[in-house]
Amino acid sequence: MKKLLSDFIIGESGKITAVNGEGKIRRRLFDMGVTPGAELTLRKKAPLGDPIEVTIRGYELTLRKTEAACVEVELI
Amino acid sequence: MKTFALAGNPNCGKTTLFNALTGATAHVGNWPGVTVDKREGIYKGGEKNINIVDLPGIYSLSPYTPEEVISRNYILDEAPDGIINIIDATNLERNLYLTTQLLEMDVPVIIALNMMDEVEKLGDKLSAEALEKQLGVPVVAISALKNKGIKKLMERAAALPASRKGTTVLKGVLDKQIETACAFFEETDVKSPLFHAVKLLENDEIELRHNGAPEKLRKISAGEDLEAVIADARYKYISANLASAKVKAGKEVATKSDKIDRVLTHRIWAIPIFIVVLFFVFHFTFSENLFFLNGFTEDMAWMPSLIDCGLAAEVDGAIEYNNFGVELFAVIYDGALYSPGVILTNFLNLFLDHISSGVVTLMENGGAAEWATGLIGDGILGGIFAVLGFLPQILTLFLFFSILEDSGYMARIAFVLDRIFRRFGLSGRAFMPMIMGFGCSVPAAVNTRTLSDEKERTATLRVIPFFSCGAKLPILTAVAGGIVMAFGVGNADVITFSMYLLGIITAIVCVLLMRNTTLKGETPPFIMELPAYHMPRFKNLMLHLWDKTKHFVKKAFTIIFASTIIIWLFSHLSWNWHYLPDEDMQQSMLASVGMFLQPVFTPLGFGSQLGQFGWVFAVAAITGLVAKENVIATFTTLAICISAYAGVGTEEGIEEIAGLINVIMADSGISQPQFIAALIAFIAFNMTTIPCFAACATAKAELPKGKFKWTLLFWIAVSYIVGAIIYTVGSWWWTLFIWLIAIASVTVLVVLKNLGILDITKIFKRNKKDGKNK
């Protein structure tokens, strides 16, 4: 099942299928290891529900829901 | 001497390695072209000394933050003899991503595989030899923390060949495209053509500035999304590489970091915990009533002062201690137990006071002229020691912030607070420089470099001075204390606290205004690593503080040294260059300049309405432009002379100011409420106006080109408006409505403009100038 990373609930894992979004954000996501094929898990959400924290490529990355909406993920 | 650059991700142990390599030889310089701190040092452990340059911690060589641009330009333009690429072995995948980019440059590279001990502790196995074979450059396992493998690393680094041709891990993926792009750059005769070629294919904004580059890229890519292909290929290569280098053992368990995070980023407790942490940081630095042992209010106080105990007595307004032992004890306790920050400050001040009075006594006994004793005692020593006196508190605050930063907690704070900051058009990351502003604007301004968005950085830099720094604290306490003492109203703590609050509110209003007018733009992205928690390294902290101390002492003995002499001279010389004793200061050059400027401050309450002595305020505010410590130093010096205050004052200058207030009240006949409003406006003006020299220089270096002069104007405008609001509303309450109407109309205009309803830019511009600016 495909889902946007921004719609993930805590504990869900998946494999990235596509990274969309505007130039600079996309570039940064790539540089931080958010590339198609990478696996990630949603670890937690900030106290106010946003931003979110994911485990990807063995480390913890935090990003906002608006940025997470650029990431399409296949649930596993 | 060979020069090696140290490159690597943030939080990979780079600073620890740098400190281990260079030790005490480290010093701070500037990067070519930009005034951004560049740390350099010499490694002396090998046969030949090697110069080490510490590049900023970066994830990639894409121009996302200024730090990445600095690193990239340094390697390309300054051509170091080699790069030591430090890699966190526990986080190999992302760390190697930078390595694959560094390898594309025509520069020798050696890899330092850090934290191998951690990897083994987790039960994983990692082979440096296998990695070396794959990457084709030397790989040495080290532990920067335990000082292991560093000698071997440097031996191999020294033995690196003089040059290396860039290689890419993208072989077999985009061979043809890279070859074409390479040929394009080889023609233009740039260094490292392969690096430029790959970056061009990545749609890199710096490469696209080359002549003909955009057309070339369009031709090569033929509409294909090469950016994604390249990033993907890099990671694919790394994963494939890892397979042979890293053997992962079993499933990972919940690490220590997870457990800590469960508390510190808790859904409900995260923000309260943070407020408590912040409170204690400030409490330990500034409190004169540690842990509120002496009660929360004056009425609850039960601890006896030293005078109550009969160990000291008040003589001529000054406290005299029975013996030196009691005086030393007063550093820690007098009527209440002090916090570490205050104790250190008291201790240093005790020491400095003894030097200062010793020198003056020596000069008087030696028969030195009155002016010479005055110049050395009041002018030079008084000024410099007043500044040095702040060093302990600034260092204490800095130490706490370093601990919070190094431990990884600050990154969590950004994570927790991002949602709130977004409302003002900033990211959670902007919180750090702002809170650091309470300590000192200089490191705070440097810290804005971690913000990737230029507009966000500009807005943050501009409001940093509103977060009242350590040097502005004496203005607050002294003037507030003076008000309470002279008029017998209010509470100095409450005034001080409200002024801090006022600074924060001003900052919020200004950020909102800027982000909706001159610095309009999308809320910057927030994509950040949350590093694992770890204990801050004592050595790193100490070296950090040492850097800070050196910087501060240098400032005290240069800028402030010069300015105190100048102020003293101008206040003791008449226009025909005759020496004036203190009581004739009215005829000095400084007084004339002050009197000339006095009317400018009339709308703020400390101008012409204060009569013949009011110029002191104007002069104090102006000397504050050099260093904020000067405001009170000048003020006190001038107050002593004017008010003919007989006794010896406390070092905070409260009594002198109270004396001055009484003199001016009697002289000018200004009413009490108006004068109080004027004094508070004076504090607010100094808090929000142009910061000190050092902060201005740093802000200028960190701001985008051409923004500095607007920033200066912005500071003047804000401080003037804030001061005017306080004075007018404080004196005539109904003026509040005029200000509210003005603020409301500015808001409406901005909103209408942004909604596109109001399109008459001319009208908008004029109104903007009338109301608040920038």
Side-chain angles (χ1 to χ4, degrees), chain A residues 48, chain B residues 418-426 512 516 523:
Chain A
L48 299 165
Chain B
D418 180 70
R419 192 70 232 274
I420 300 170
F421 270 68
R422 205 174 328 157
R423 257 180 231 161
F424 309 119
L426 301 174
L512 270 176
N516 283 302
T523 306

Side-chain angles (χ1 to χ4, degrees), chain B residues 364-432:
Chain B
E364 277 168 354
N365 292 348
E370 188 196 337
W371 66 266
T373 318
L375 175 63
I376 306 254
D378 297 340
I380 300 176
L381 292 184
I384 291 180
F385 287 175
V387 178
L388 281 184
F390 292 110
L391 187 59
Q393 275 175 335
I394 291 180
L395 286 185
T396 316
L397 198 62
F398 212 74
L399 174 71
F400 285 125
F401 280 123
S402 305
I403 292 172
L404 295 184
E405 171 97 62
D406 287 5
S407 64
Y409 185 53
M410 279 289 199
R412 267 74 183 184
I413 292 307
F415 172 70
V416 169
L417 295 180
D418 180 70
R419 192 70 232 274
I420 300 170
F421 270 68
R422 205 174 328 157
R423 257 180 231 161
F424 309 119
L426 301 174
S427 71
R429 199 85 187 133
F431 175 74
M432 235 176 287

Side-chain angles (χ1 to χ4, degrees), chain B residues 724-740:
Chain B
I725 293 178
I726 291 176
Y727 174 63
T728 51
V729 174
S731 303
W732 305 280
W733 62 269
W734 46 265
T735 51
L736 178 66
F737 298 108
I738 299 177
W739 288 108
L740 285 179

Side-chain angles (χ1 to χ4, degrees), chain B residues 523-563:
Chain B
T523 306
F526 183 73
I527 306 168
M528 199 180 76
E529 181 189 3
L530 287 179
Y533 286 101
H534 65 77
M535 279 302 278
R537 315 268 173 255
F538 183 74
K539 193 178 167 192
N540 287 354
L541 287 177
M542 288 306 124
L543 283 166
H544 218 66
L545 288 187
W546 177 234
D547 271 356
K548 183 87 192 132
T549 313
K550 272 197 291 195
H551 172 86
F552 196 84
V553 172
K554 208 168 105 191
K555 179 177 143 197
F557 280 96
T558 49
I559 303 173
I560 294 159
F561 180 74
S563 64

Side-chain angles (χ1 to χ4, degrees), chain A residues 26-28 30-33 36 43-44 46-48 50-53 57 59-64 67, chain B residues 60 62 64 68 91 93-94 97 225 227 232 235 258 261 265 267 415 418 422 524-526 528 530:
Chain A
R26 189 155 178 257
R27 174 80 254 154
R28 188 59 171 183
F30 284 157
D31 285 345
M32 299 303 281
R43 291 301 286 270
K44 69 162 92 66
L48 299 165
D50 192 14
I52 58 170
E53 182 187 335
R57 298 188 187 277
Y59 81 101
E60 310 298 318
L61 178 77
T62 167
L63 67 168
R64 289 200 190 120
E67 287 125 22
Chain B
S60 158
S62 322
Y64 183 73
E68 281 156 3
N91 194 351
E93 259 182 293
R94 207 205 50 227
Y97 181 78
D225 181 10
E227 198 178 352
D232 187 45
Y235 276 109
D258 289 329
D261 248 352
T265 60
R267 207 165 49 83
F415 172 70
D418 180 70
R422 205 174 328 157
F526 183 73
M528 199 180 76
L530 287 179

Side-chain angles (χ1 to χ4, degrees), chain B residues 500-519:
Chain B
Y500 270 103
L501 211 61
L502 176 80
I504 297 171
I505 294 168
T506 311
I508 291 172
V509 171
C510 290
V511 165
L512 270 176
L513 199 71
M514 282 191 277
R515 293 296 282 169
N516 283 302
T517 54
T518 52
L519 295 174

Side-chain angles (χ1 to χ4, degrees), chain A residues 17-45:
Chain A
T17 54
V19 179
N20 311 310
E22 164 265 329
K24 220 170 172 183
I25 294 177
R26 189 155 178 257
R27 174 80 254 154
R28 188 59 171 183
L29 286 171
F30 284 157
D31 285 345
M32 299 303 281
V34 184
T35 56
E39 287 177 17
L40 52 77
T41 307
L42 182 68
R43 291 301 286 270
K44 69 162 92 66
K45 294 179 177 180

